[in-house]
Structures are given as structure tokens and as C-alpha cells.
Amino acid sequence: MNLLPAPPVNADNRPCRDGASAGRLMLPHCGACGHRFFMPRYQCPKCWSNDLHWTPASGRATIHSYCIVRRAALPAFADRVPYVLALIDLAEGPRMMSQILGEDALQAQIGAAVELCFQACADGAQLPQFRLVHHG
């Protein structure tokens, strides 16, 4: 399977990319209003402050919604179909889009517990993804 193309790096998302390279999902946290959010950006989407701090997420989450992709939109994803693309509700509050990985990924269900994992990109960076949690 080919490595995923690396997402672009900029000043807004560098702390997130650096955290992922160290095995952590870093979330922006507003020092003015306390709001935690995702996608990384230069100011809080709630109060517009740029007093941002980066804190690690626990890695615990649930599936809010998902779809099974059966036709790749880009050649880099062609050898991965079918795969699960999901909206993930992080335990800390933010919602993010991610892929569900693992041999059982097609068993994804709304409300299912997932945990953070990482997938290598073409440039050596790590991309935060999730896998199903099995209790038992």
C-alpha cells in the first residue's frame, strides 16, 4: 500500500503536525475563553482571540457519522478502497474528520468508541487516524 501524501504544513498547523510526529494529537486551546477546537487556525473561532495554547488530546473519541468510500477521489487512495471516512467526536469536545483504520474498520457504527492511532505519510510525518475500540 502506498504512503499517503503529506498534508501541507504552515504556521497554523505546525504544532499539530509536530505533536503527531511525537505520537500526540495536539488541540488548540484558547487562553481567553477556554474553547478547544479543531481545525488548527491562528485564532479562536469562538471569541477571535489569538491567545492560543496547544494541549494534548486523550485519544478517546466516538464516531459521530461515517461513510464507506468505495471509489477513490485521488490516485493515492486507490489501493485503500473500500475505506471508512468518519466524523469523530473527541472526548475533549472538538469534532474532526479522520479515517478509521484496521481490519475491522468496515464494521464502524455511529456512536462506536474509537481510539487515536497514527499513519505514516510520504514525507515521514504521522497523520492522526482512529481505530475501533473493542470492549471485552
Side-chain angles (χ1 to χ4, degrees):
M1 192 175 299
N2 295 326
L3 292 176
L4 292 174
V9 180
N10 58 43
D12 295 339
N13 69 13
R14 183 169 301 285
C16 190
R17 280 283 300 266
D18 291 347
S21 293
R24 294 185 312 264
L25 174 59
M26 301 299 288
L27 298 175
H29 182 212
C30 180
C33 73
H35 185 60
R36 287 187 189 185
F37 56 94
F38 193 87
M39 290 291 294
R41 58 196 83 172
Y42 68 94
Q43 64 187 147
C44 174
K46 187 173 180 181
C47 74
W48 304 108
S49 171
N50 63 358
D51 179 19
L52 302 181
H53 309 279
W54 291 82
T55 58
S58 66
R60 296 184 315 273
T62 57
I63 297 175
H64 177 79
S65 185
Y66 71 96
C67 68
I68 298 173
V69 178
R70 299 187 187 281
R71 179 190 263 164
L74 297 171
F77 294 90
D79 62 349
R80 297 176 183 277
V81 293
Y83 62 89
V84 178
L85 188 60
L87 283 175
I88 303 294
D89 287 335
L90 300 173
E92 292 77 13
R95 180 174 290 159
M96 66 183 285
M97 187 168 284
S98 181
Q99 189 176 342
I100 305 297
L101 302 180
E103 292 180 13
D104 60 349
L106 294 177
Q107 305 305 312
Q109 295 182 0
I110 293 172
V114 291
E115 64 186 359
L116 181 65
C117 62
F118 291 90
Q119 186 174 35
C121 295
D123 71 351
Q126 298 288 321
L127 189 63
Q129 305 283 20
F130 290 83
R131 63 178 163 239
L132 295 170
V133 172
H134 298 283
H135 301 285

